[in-house]
Amino acid sequence: MAKFNLKPRRLRSVTAEGAPAFTREPRLELFLLGVSNMVGEDTFYEGATDRDARFRNLVATVAVADVDWFARFVPWLRTGAMMRSASVVAALEGARAQVAAGVPGSRAVVDAALQRADEPGEALAYWLARHGRTLSKPVKRGIADAAVRLYTERSLLKYDSVGNPVRFGDVIDLTHPTARDERQGDLFRHALDRRHGRDNPLPASLGMLAARHALMALPVEQRREVTDPTVLGAAGMTWEALAGWRQSALDDAAWESIIPNMGYLALLRNLRNFDQAGVSDAVAQTVAARLADPGQVAGSRVLPMRFLSAFNAAPSLRWAYPLETALQHALVNVPALDGRTLILIDTSGSMQSPFSKDGTLRFWDAATVFGLALAARAQAATVVSFSNASRVFPSVAGESVLAAVRRFKDDGYFLGMGTETENAVREHYDRHDRVIILTDEQAHWHGRADVAAAVPAQVPVYTWNLAGYRAGHTPTVDNRHTFGGLSDAAFAMIPLIEAGSRDQWPF
């Protein structure tokens, strides 16, 4: 995606490493930051506090300056770019700015940003911590609308934890949602009872909660005998709750009893545990079928790099093919590029920066997944890893993307060191039809950093920015385009641009 402003932007900045750089217009800067911002996480060149403040300021500016664009951006950020925390913050801070400016419409944006049942509580917790207990009407009503849409017996059991400072009952207390029917009204009253410690009888309409209470009443020594997935499912039992309820580690029988009720991401996260517990091949085949199902991949909204993480963690080869299939489904927007394409993957030191505190996935993981996926779909691709130096990554006919990523790592193509983007472009550009650079754009200054000038003006250069820093290495002019994000959602723009489309955003 991106905004393609036809007027050159004035050179006003430098990269974090001192190279000349270009500023961006506010919507593009917000777009690139939003699609890469995990919120509250440090990056290599920007601390979490500064990064989050820049995000809030951009949101406040754009939400008022371009109301229609912002109303389309926030829902897409949640469901297209699959950025959860960033979309919640954007919706709330945008609503605050719009209320102050007298701009209507933010209730629907707040509602659209909340897509999982714990998110009304997340949104309310953020607002209370940052802006106090006075809720603006659009925020209050947007959160209430989401609660009506998302609150069920199952979601109450899964997400209404006593460890959360803002619980379902708090959301109901503070936003006053109107239940959609009598059964949900019973659920809301019970959530309030839970929150306030009231020992009222469980409403008869809440059968799943009753089933859970019955399981909790069983003596511990009898709980290991409950292995019927139907019984566990009827009680809304999750894999996280199962070990605590059984008061023992999950063995093969326990996993096999809960697997039919597990969500897609839960399956993806537990492949190693299935192998270690000795889950049977028959059950593993059902898991593999779900992992590879295109509808389940689409519904899961799992970022493509999660399949790489699962592939790296799972010891058994029985998961390799379904994970590769799933990754291909997750990369549905990767275009089949004709002609010759030069793909440059930034593997400098700053690209080792992790997306989140657990450090399991890094910016260069995403760059490599996307770069090699583009290469696999291209008619003819030259793939280059670059840092201070650069190396061409040879293709292998028929190789899967995940296998190529592993070979990229095992054969030493993660280079580290500095970022000399222009040198890499000049060294490897050879009458290609397009250039795609996957990078954080933070080039070093060694007297050469003019990426735009390294390729003839008539040849399109697409920069895929994975970190969302303020300054970029090319101006936004004809045939110089900047995308961003941790999903494939904007790759579909490449053939549209080359066909002359004026549709400038992926939403």
Side-chain angles (χ1 to χ4, degrees):
M1 122 31 240
K3 171 64 175 170
F4 310 110
N5 185 358
L6 298 183
K7 292 183 180 180
R9 297 291 290 173
R10 182 163 61 92
L11 185 63
R12 289 171 38 179
S13 187
V14 294
T15 69
E17 294 293 345
F22 297 84
T23 59
R24 317 181 200 271
E25 62 101 356
R27 287 177 300 175
L28 179 52
E29 185 179 348
L30 175 59
F31 182 95
L32 293 176
L33 182 55
V35 295
S36 57
N37 186 18
M38 292 296 185
V39 180
E41 301 285 353
D42 293 330
T43 56
F44 193 88
Y45 291 114
E46 192 172 27
T49 300
D50 292 341
R51 190 173 177 85
D52 291 346
R54 179 161 67 92
F55 186 61
R56 291 193 301 271
N57 291 337
L58 284 166
V59 165
T61 297
V62 174
V64 174
D66 195 334
V67 176
D68 177 69
W69 184 94
F70 187 77
R72 291 182 289 119
F73 169 63
V74 172
W76 177 86
L77 184 63
R78 182 64 180 89
T79 60
M82 297 178 281
M83 299 301 290
R84 178 177 175 233
S85 297
S87 61
V88 171
V89 172
L92 296 178
E93 295 292 347
R96 184 169 182 265
Q98 289 178 343
V99 167
V103 175
S106 50
R107 172 182 180 173
V109 176
V110 171
D111 178 27
L114 308 178
Q115 293 293 319
R116 205 172 73 179
D118 59 334
E119 290 171 7
E122 286 282 304
L124 192 55
Y126 175 87
W127 185 276
L128 294 173
R130 183 142 201 96
H131 303 302
R133 292 183 64 86
T134 301
L135 295 172
S136 65
K137 285 186 179 180
V139 169
K140 178 179 178 179
R141 291 172 178 170
I143 294 175
D145 292 343
V148 172
R149 178 165 46 84
L150 298 169
Y151 282 6
T152 64
E153 288 181 83
R154 186 176 299 277
S155 65
L156 182 82
L157 288 168
K158 183 174 179 64
Y159 293 117
D160 187 39
S161 168
V162 294
N164 292 336
V166 176
R167 298 182 58 187
F168 280 37
D170 297 310
V171 172
I172 295 165
D173 263 336
L174 292 173
T175 68
H176 307 295
T178 300
R180 61 176 172 265
D181 54 31
E182 185 176 347
R183 183 180 179 188
Q184 192 176 53
D186 288 343
L187 179 70
F188 285 179
R189 285 186 288 275
H190 178 68
L192 289 167
D193 288 343
R194 280 167 60 110
R195 182 67 179 99
H196 298 295
R198 296 193 286 257
D199 193 22
N200 291 326
L202 184 68
S205 63
L206 304 181
M208 181 174 285
L209 292 175
R212 175 64 72 88
H213 287 177
L215 286 183
M216 298 304 295
L218 286 175
V220 173
E221 59 271 15
Q222 295 180 20
R223 295 177 183 180
R224 290 173 59 89
E225 300 171 11
V226 181
T227 57
D228 186 340
T230 303
V231 172
L232 296 175
M237 186 68 76
T238 64
W239 72 271
E240 298 98 330
L242 186 62
W245 175 68
R246 287 166 54 103
Q247 296 187 24
S248 63
L250 300 186
D251 55 17
D252 58 336
W255 279 117
E256 291 176 6
S257 71
I258 200 65
I259 280 173
N261 300 310
M262 291 173 68
Y264 190 92
L265 181 57
L267 294 176
L268 199 62
R269 290 172 56 190
N270 281 290
L271 299 181
R272 175 186 289 273
N273 290 331
F274 299 160
D275 287 340
Q276 290 178 340
V279 167
S280 70
D281 286 342
V283 172
Q285 288 174 5
T286 68
V287 174
R290 288 185 61 191
L291 292 178
D293 182 80
Q296 296 223 14
V297 174
S300 73
R301 297 174 181 162
V302 172
L303 288 168
M305 298 87 64
R306 292 293 175 191
F307 298 103
L308 173 60
S309 180
F311 180 72
N312 289 336
S316 172
L317 290 177
R318 64 185 177 181
W319 309 118
Y321 181 72
L323 287 174
E324 176 64 33
T325 304
L327 177 63
Q328 294 301 327
H329 294 320
L331 294 170
V332 294
N333 292 307
V334 173
L337 299 173
D338 60 7
R340 298 176 64 242
T341 305
L342 174 60
I343 300 169
L344 294 142
I345 301 172
D346 181 354
T347 59
S348 63
S350 61
M351 290 290 286
Q352 296 183 61
S353 183
F355 292 125
S356 57
K357 291 184 176 70
D358 67 12
T360 56
L361 291 169
R362 301 175 183 274
F363 287 120
W364 66 16
D365 291 320
T368 307
V369 167
F370 292 141
L372 295 179
L374 283 163
R377 294 275 286 158
Q379 182 180 4
T382 305
V383 178
V384 175
S385 172
F386 76 94
S387 177
N388 291 78
S390 60
R391 293 178 63 193
V392 173
F393 180 69
S395 64
V396 173
E399 185 176 42
S400 72
V401 173
L402 288 177
V405 171
R406 178 165 287 180
R407 181 166 61 89
F408 194 96
K409 178 181 178 181
D410 291 346
D411 291 356
Y413 283 85
F414 289 119
L415 303 178
M417 306 301 290
T419 311
E420 297 188 14
T421 312
E422 184 192 355
N423 286 347
V425 175
R426 290 189 182 277
E427 180 179 351
H428 297 283
Y429 176 74
D430 181 18
R431 293 169 293 175
H432 290 85
D433 297 294
R434 67 188 61 80
V435 177
I436 301 173
I437 309 171
L438 300 109
T439 178
D440 63 5
E441 295 194 82
Q442 299 308 295
H444 284 65
W445 176 236
H446 295 295
R448 298 177 70 179
D450 191 349
V451 174
V455 177
Q458 70 273 18
V459 176
V461 176
Y462 303 97
T463 296
W464 192 270
N465 183 300
L466 291 156
Y469 294 122
R470 185 189 299 273
H473 64 203
T474 60
T476 51
V477 297
D478 280 331
N479 273 335
R480 301 294 182 262
H481 310 293
T482 304
F483 305 101
L486 307 177
S487 81
D488 68 334
F491 280 124
M493 294 297 295
I494 294 177
L496 292 177
I497 292 165
E498 296 184 1
S501 172
R502 306 303 299 164
D503 184 9
Q504 298 172 327
W505 302 98
F507 47 80

